[in-house]
């Protein structure tokens, strides 16, 4: 077994857990399990029919943005009538182990620009997914042969 640790230990009550497994006979196709939810995914070299890992990363930040904007608008009594989020990234040209950029565009309906800016500031100040992508973070990897 090999272990690399860069992140500090975190209280178990704040830990989210996701697992996955391969599907026999379908190279590049996987099932991801989160609590009682299941999602079929493909590798970028797999069948290409299901959502891929990089798209899941973008999906996480898009979902966090929409939830954050809605909750903050409700807390502040802002009359938001809808939120649309578009996200993109490009795999690194010089270093394919990174993304050269990640872009997020958020459109907020029902409020003026100053209220939209305030919602954006609150999102940046509180979203762990956005900030992990923005700053990078430690990661722990354990590999075991079975």
């Amino acid at each position: 077994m090999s272990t690399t640790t860069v992140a500090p230990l975190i209280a178990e009550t704040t830990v989210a857990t996701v697992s996955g497994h391969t599907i026999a006979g379908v190279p590049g196709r996987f099932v991801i399990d989160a609590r009682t939810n299941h999602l079929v995914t493909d590798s970028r070299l797999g069948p290409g029919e299901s959502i891929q890992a990089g798209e899941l990363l973008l999906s996480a930040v898009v979902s966090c943005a929409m939830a954050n904007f809605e909750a903050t608008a409700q807390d502040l009594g802002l009359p938001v009538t809808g939120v649309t989020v578009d996200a993109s990234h490009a795999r690194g040209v010089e270093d394919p182990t990174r993304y050269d950029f990640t872009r997020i565009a958020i459109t907020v309906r029902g409020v003026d620009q100053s209220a939209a800016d305030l919602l954006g500031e609150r999102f940046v100040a509180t979203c762990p997914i956005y900030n992990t992508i923005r700053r990078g973070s430690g990661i722990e990897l354990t590999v075991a042969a079975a």
Side-chain angles (χ1 to χ4, degrees):
M1 180 178 2
S2 160
T3 301
T4 303
T5 302
V6 182
L9 295 176
I10 305 295
E12 287 297 316
T13 58
T14 63
V15 175
T17 302
V18 175
S19 62
H21 62 273
T22 57
I23 300 173
V26 187
R29 167 104 356 127
F30 318 109
V31 176
I32 304 297
D33 305 304
R35 298 180 329 277
T36 60
N37 302 290
H38 313 285
L39 175 68
V40 175
T41 69
D42 284 346
S43 82
R44 64 185 177 88
L45 305 174
E49 299 165 345
S50 295
I51 194 165
Q52 298 172 356
E55 295 164 330
L56 288 168
L57 177 66
L58 292 176
S59 297
V61 75
V62 165
S63 181
C64 190
M66 290 186 292
N68 191 295
F69 270 64
E70 268 191 354
T72 302
Q74 185 174 7
D75 288 349
L76 298 177
L78 296 173
V80 169
T81 58
V83 178
T84 303
V85 182
D86 296 298
S88 61
H89 59 209
R91 194 172 184 100
V93 175
E94 292 181 25
D95 179 358
T97 67
R98 304 178 54 89
Y99 292 107
D100 280 343
F101 66 83
T102 300
R103 295 183 179 129
I104 304 167
I106 302 173
T107 303
V108 187
R109 291 179 296 286
V111 296
D112 63 16
Q113 188 61 49
S114 64
D117 289 342
L118 174 61
L119 292 169
E121 290 167 11
R122 295 280 180 99
F123 166 65
V124 168
T126 60
C127 177
I129 298 167
Y130 173 88
N131 283 293
T132 298
I133 294 169
R134 183 172 65 88
R135 292 188 301 251
S137 72
I139 191 166
E140 180 179 317
L141 172 66
T142 301
V143 179

